[in-house]
Amino acid sequence: MKRDMDLIRELLLKLEALPIQQGSVVHLSLDEDDPEDDLRVEGFTTDQIGYHLNLIDEAGLIVGAGNRPMSGILFRSLSWEGHDFLDSIRDPEVWRKTRNGVKEVGGFTFELVKDLAKGFVKKQIEDKTGIKL
């Protein structure tokens, strides 16, 4: 299965938006037939979402209590790294530029996506504040 950074971004946005109390662990279901599925993303199967949740976990972007790809995820919060990564790709325009930049070179790693997105954010800060970072 191919890694899809758009799906990773969408899942991180969904996870961040969950109203979870500090210290809690919640089970988030993966069920295509359940309209209450917390992690459903239009156009993606349960298998694809489960696979990408595992990638998110392996990358250290979440703090969980164990993943069950076919039934869901036990989730605590985004990690510090997860928040940083999401903050760098949150803005739709920055994400669009990042994706286009990655497509132009024809390949990427997670680290390169992060660095490219951070570069676009730094450029926006410089343009808006006049402060060179």
Side-chain angles (χ1 to χ4, degrees), residues 1 8 38 57 64-65 68 74 82 90 93 103 109 114 119 130:
M1 189 175 300
I8 287 173
D38 302 305
D57 188 26
R68 299 179 187 143
L74 296 175
R90 178 184 313 281
E93 182 63 17
K103 285 179 185 176
T109 66
K114 282 192 325 189

Side-chain angles (χ1 to χ4, degrees), residues 95-107 116 120:
W95 180 239
R96 186 189 62 75
K97 288 179 181 179
T98 301
R99 283 185 25 231
N100 289 343
V102 165
K103 285 179 185 176
E104 285 184 30
V105 297
L116 186 57
F120 286 124

Side-chain angles (χ1 to χ4, degrees), residues 24-41:
S24 296
V25 176
V26 295
H27 179 263
L28 303 172
S29 70
L30 286 178
D31 184 352
E32 291 175 340
D33 299 324
D34 180 1
E36 299 297 317
D37 181 349
D38 302 305
L39 300 174
R40 184 185 322 193
V41 179

Side-chain angles (χ1 to χ4, degrees), residues 3-113:
R3 177 176 57 182
D4 187 310
M5 293 304 292
D6 288 315
L7 178 54
I8 287 173
R9 178 179 179 269
E10 186 65 31
L11 289 170
L12 287 171
L13 288 166
K14 285 179 170 284
L15 291 168
E16 180 192 48
L18 294 172
I20 298 173
Q21 293 182 0
Q22 184 176 356
S24 296
V25 176
V26 295
H27 179 263
L28 303 172
S29 70
L30 286 178
D31 184 352
E32 291 175 340
D33 299 324
D34 180 1
E36 299 297 317
D37 181 349
D38 302 305
L39 300 174
R40 184 185 322 193
V41 179
E42 184 84 24
F44 293 95
T45 67
T46 299
D47 288 341
Q48 290 171 311
I49 292 170
Y51 179 78
H52 284 77
L53 286 171
N54 280 333
L55 291 176
I56 289 168
D57 188 26
E58 287 174 9
L61 301 178
I62 61 172
V63 178
N67 291 341
R68 299 179 187 143
M70 295 311 291
S71 67
I73 181 174
L74 296 175
F75 176 73
R76 291 179 195 271
S77 66
L78 295 183
S79 66
W80 186 273
E81 180 74 15
H83 281 287
D84 281 353
F85 179 63
L86 187 54
D87 285 344
S88 71
I89 62 169
R90 178 184 313 281
D91 180 270
E93 182 63 17
V94 168
W95 180 239
R96 186 189 62 75
K97 288 179 181 179
T98 301
R99 283 185 25 231
N100 289 343
V102 165
K103 285 179 185 176
E104 285 184 30
V105 297
F108 65 94
T109 66
F110 177 66
E111 289 300 318
L112 289 174
V113 170

